[in-house]
């Protein structure tokens, strides 16, 4: 139990590394692959992986949930957050987008106090204010304001709201069940977006990068 905070920090650092890899790959292929196509395949691969996991484990009968509305809301927020975030990569430098996105845990801490009633101490409050100030410096350096930065800010807010829903659902359901419904609803939302504004079938080198992004 004493090591749980360190384990949690290790998982969060791993997440930051992986999402940065995804961001770099998206910047690499943005001229070849539409954002909605990337999101579609990301959710499709996720759904296939988690569905096979439950099928092979024989736990698909345990997927029944009483929190469908919350899963639906989380997936809706997720699609909007990723669409805003990925699109911002095509408009502003990757380093700026990632720097702003790293203020996400700070916003989540603030929301945890407001919505979940969590308490934070004086030192953590100072760190929160310093982090938010740093985010403002990145968003508006030297008085020059990039409107596209607001897309990243929007995604950070949406992710923080998702964190609140995850915290609530985690009290009753395990991670694999949450992942199943998130990927299923997200796939449902992104399929029409990719059909009308992107593409569903991808071939050649673009397909290779698409699979890499999805697996990461």
């Amino acid at each position: 139990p004493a090591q749980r905070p360190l384990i949690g920090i290790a998982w969060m650092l791993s997440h930051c590394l992986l999402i940065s890899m995804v961001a770099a790959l998206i910047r690499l292929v943005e001229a070849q692959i539409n954002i909605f196509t990337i999101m579609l395949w990301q959710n499709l691969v996720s759904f296939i992986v988690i569905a096979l996991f439950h099928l092979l484990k024989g736990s698909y009968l345990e997927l029944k949930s009483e929190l469908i509305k919350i899963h639906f809301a989380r997936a809706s927020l997720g699609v909007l957050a990723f669409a805003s975030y990925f699109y911002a990569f095509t408009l502003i430098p990757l380093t700026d987008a990632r720097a702003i996105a790293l203020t996400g845990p700070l916003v989540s801490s603030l929301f945890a106090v407001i919505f979940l009633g969590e308490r934070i101490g004086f030192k953590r409050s100072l760190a929160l204010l310093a982090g938010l100030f740093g985010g403002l410096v990145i968003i508006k350096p030297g008085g020059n304001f990039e409107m596209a930065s607001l897309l990243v800010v929007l995604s950070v807010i949406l992710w923080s709201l998702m964190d609140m829903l995850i915290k609530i659902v985690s009290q009753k359901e395990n991670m694999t069940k949450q992942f199943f419904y998130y990927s299923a609803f997200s796939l449902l939302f992104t399929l029409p977006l990719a059909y009308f504004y992107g593409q569903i079938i991808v071939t050649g080198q673009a397909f290779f990068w698409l699979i890499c992004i999805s697996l990461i």
Side-chain angles (χ1 to χ4, degrees):
Q3 295 179 340
R4 287 175 63 87
L6 293 177
I7 295 173
I9 291 171
W11 279 114
M12 181 56 72
L13 291 175
S14 299
H15 159 75
C16 291
L17 172 63
L18 293 173
I19 200 68
S20 296
M21 293 171 62
V22 168
L25 287 175
I26 290 176
R27 196 60 183 263
L28 179 67
V29 301
E30 62 182 352
Q32 306 174 52
I33 311 176
N34 182 275
I35 295 299
F36 295 125
T37 302
I38 293 175
M39 293 173 60
L40 170 66
W41 277 88
Q42 184 183 33
N43 293 318
L44 177 61
V45 171
S46 297
F47 179 75
I48 291 174
V49 169
I50 196 64
L52 286 175
F53 170 81
H54 282 288
L55 185 64
L56 295 175
K57 189 180 177 182
S59 58
Y60 52 88
L61 295 178
E62 301 174 4
L63 290 175
K64 184 178 180 181
S65 175
E66 298 178 354
L67 304 174
I68 294 296
K69 292 182 179 180
I70 297 181
H71 290 301
F72 184 89
R74 180 193 170 191
S76 301
L77 293 173
V79 169
L80 291 173
F82 275 103
S84 301
Y85 189 49
F86 289 169
Y87 184 60
F89 291 160
T90 67
L91 302 175
I92 60 177
L94 179 61
T95 50
D96 288 358
R98 285 300 301 142
I100 297 171
L102 290 177
T103 62
L106 304 173
V107 179
S108 295
S109 297
L110 182 61
F111 281 4
V113 174
I114 297 173
F115 297 112
L116 301 179
E118 294 188 2
R119 300 179 63 182
I120 58 176
F122 177 72
K123 293 181 179 179
R124 189 176 172 188
S125 298
L126 288 179
L128 179 63
L129 291 174
L132 291 176
F133 177 76
L136 291 175
V137 171
I138 295 170
I139 296 171
K140 192 177 181 181
N144 298 320
F145 181 74
E146 290 282 352
M147 290 298 294
S149 298
L150 292 178
L151 292 173
V152 186
V153 174
L154 174 62
S155 66
V156 166
I157 294 174
L158 294 175
W159 274 328
S160 297
L161 291 174
M162 286 174 62
D163 288 343
M164 302 304 102
L165 296 180
I166 292 172
K167 189 74 172 180
I168 294 172
V169 175
S170 296
Q171 297 175 0
K172 297 183 178 181
E173 297 183 352
N174 60 38
M175 183 197 66
T176 56
K177 183 185 291 189
Q178 295 180 53
F179 190 32
F180 175 82
Y181 282 105
Y182 176 75
S183 58
F185 281 129
S186 296
L187 178 60
L188 181 66
F189 296 151
T190 52
L191 182 59
L193 291 173
Y195 179 78
F196 288 107
Y197 302 106
Q199 62 186 111
I200 296 178
I201 305 300
V202 181
T203 58
Q205 188 181 37
F207 179 75
F208 170 77
W209 290 119
L210 195 57
I211 293 300
C212 288
I213 292 171
S214 301
L215 290 175
I216 294 172

